Amino acid sequence: MMTRTSRSAAPSSPALAPHGGPRGGGGDALIRIDLSTNVNPYGAPPSVLDAARAADLCAYPDPTSHDARSAAAMAWQRPIGEIAFGAGVSELLPALFSALLGRNNTVVLASPLYGEYARAAQLVGARTLSVARRRTVPHISRLFAAVRRFAPKLLVVAAPGNPLGEAWTRDDLAELADAAHARQCLLVIDQSYDAFLDAPLGDPALPGHPAVMHFRSLTKDFAIAGLRAAYAIGPAAIIRRLEERRAPWPASAPAQAAAEATFASAAQAYVTRTTRALREDVADFADALRAAGVSARKTDVHWVLCTLSTAQANRLAHDAGIRVRTLDDHLLAGLARIVVPRRDQQAMIARAVASALDTNSHDADTA
């Protein structure tokens, strides 16, 4: 089977599966270190925080987010009409899907993928086809076949992928975009983790392509997850349709101010420096985990994949106050994604993960 297919008889309300935040991991454990969300562990640039704090909280925010969009347009050398700004990708993508999809449409998802894409499609009654990776067949070949066979309205790819952390080349994305365009399909490229690659594709990856919509989250590399801030970059006609489906004042004043500040040289330099440090630390952290007896492998971005069950992850949260992201909901049971922590925390976290794996030790402690 090439795909997993789901279809709703009527628009449904799929369950939310949030993670991160004080209650996002479930349970009542006191979390000291959250490595489940992929947020830059070095925190936000000071200048970005200053801009957010200086925003006027007494007045309504600009409903068009003009200044944040203008700053992006100048940095990316694209017309402002090709850019929308909102409260995270999770706010922008339902607007896009509701603008473009109906109950008789199909969405192809390059899986595993951030779960909100499937949920947004389900909410408008569209059919989702998940095209999973296979060791023997290139993922792009399977996606080409799905586009030809199922004539989807949308094709969604994360570049780099989440949760597996695999990079895409610009040439492969361009081929997918051209194939989609030839079949009147829109390619959606989620670039939320592009900045963490050794060789980022840049924003947007395929500027001006008539069949591509890019999503660019600021909450990961700039570490402003609490503000919720992201851009959509694509054809102006589709941006206009997206805007028609959004609530008034979709982005807060602090989020707009912070987004504008991310394009200043000081903020850019800060993120370049900290993401470079994280990339350099991926191999060392994977080695530290393996030395502690934990099966781990590095990815193309700033997290490692470990053999860790949900029960063991819960034990890690309860005993050590460390949260990681298990991948059961991606049909990757027994696997967890762990963001590379700051260098001063790596050895301690490796020991804590190893302790969570040690069932005999845990049983003895609780006897």
Side-chain angles (χ1 to χ4, degrees):
M1 292 290 290
M2 181 177 70
T3 60
R4 296 192 311 277
T5 306
S6 65
R7 185 164 188 166
S8 303
S12 60
S13 297
L16 284 167
H19 62 96
R23 297 291 182 268
D28 58 359
L30 177 62
I31 301 301
R32 298 184 300 109
I33 301 174
D34 191 347
L35 301 177
S36 72
T37 62
N38 298 343
V39 171
N40 185 340
Y42 289 99
S47 57
V48 172
L49 293 179
D50 289 343
R53 292 181 182 121
D56 184 358
L57 300 185
C58 297
Y60 279 96
D62 176 4
T64 71
S65 300
H66 178 273
D67 291 348
R69 292 167 55 234
S70 179
M74 183 176 299
W76 299 335
Q77 299 182 5
R78 301 306 307 166
I80 193 171
E82 293 184 1
I83 299 170
F85 179 74
V89 171
S90 297
E91 185 266 322
L92 290 165
L93 78 88
L96 176 69
F97 278 29
S98 65
L100 299 184
L101 295 175
R103 289 191 55 209
N104 294 322
N105 296 139
T106 297
V107 181
V108 169
L109 307 172
S111 66
L113 185 71
Y114 177 45
E116 283 302 295
Y117 286 100
R119 184 172 182 272
Q122 287 179 280
L123 285 171
V124 295
R127 181 173 62 163
T128 59
L129 299 168
S130 295
V131 179
R133 300 179 66 85
R134 294 288 183 270
R135 292 184 179 181
T136 56
V137 181
H139 205 190
I140 189 170
S141 299
R142 293 168 59 78
L143 292 171
F144 281 141
V147 170
R148 289 193 297 269
R149 180 177 176 184
F150 298 106
K153 189 78 170 179
L154 297 177
L155 167 62
V156 184
V157 173
N162 176 29
L164 297 183
E166 74 281 12
W168 283 77
T169 68
R170 195 185 310 275
D171 288 345
D172 281 351
L173 291 174
E175 283 191 57
L176 275 180
D178 291 343
H181 187 45
R183 290 163 177 80
Q184 298 183 314
C185 171
L186 181 72
L187 173 63
V188 179
I189 305 176
D190 188 330
Q191 290 192 258
S192 295
Y193 300 106
D194 183 66
F196 296 99
L197 291 169
D198 283 331
L201 299 178
D203 302 311
L206 300 175
H209 196 290
V212 177
M213 179 65 67
H214 307 79
F215 283 132
R216 168 60 164 104
S217 172
L218 302 178
T219 62
K220 309 304 183 182
D221 49 342
F222 285 96
I224 51 173
L227 285 176
R228 315 306 304 136
Y231 287 96
I233 313 102
I238 298 178
I239 291 290
R240 287 194 295 271
R241 294 179 65 182
L242 178 157
E243 294 284 13
E244 291 170 355
R245 297 303 180 107
R246 302 173 72 192
W249 308 287
S252 70
Q256 293 182 41
E260 184 180 0
T262 63
F263 294 100
S265 58
Q268 292 285 320
Y270 176 96
V271 166
T272 297
R273 182 173 66 256
T274 55
T275 55
R276 182 185 298 120
L278 290 171
R279 287 193 298 271
E280 292 171 351
D281 285 352
V282 171
D284 289 343
F285 185 50
D287 288 343
L289 288 165
R290 286 191 288 264
V294 181
S295 175
R297 66 179 176 88
K298 68 185 189 71
T299 66
D300 292 330
V301 283
H302 65 308
W303 64 78
V304 299
L305 299 175
C306 295
T307 301
L308 197 72
S309 70
T310 296
Q312 291 163 338
N314 290 340
R315 188 180 307 154
L316 179 65
H318 183 272
D319 294 350
I322 299 171
R323 179 185 291 148
V324 300
R325 176 73 159 94
T326 55
L327 304 181
D328 294 28
D329 56 331
H330 290 288
L331 303 182
L332 297 169
L335 201 63
R337 185 192 68 197
I338 306 180
V339 172
V340 175
R342 299 195 314 265
R343 291 173 182 172
D344 61 306
Q345 298 176 325
Q346 289 187 23
M348 177 272 292
I349 289 170
R351 290 193 299 270
V353 174
S355 178
L357 287 170
D358 188 349
T359 304
N360 292 331
S361 173
H362 176 75
D363 293 342
D365 291 342
T366 57

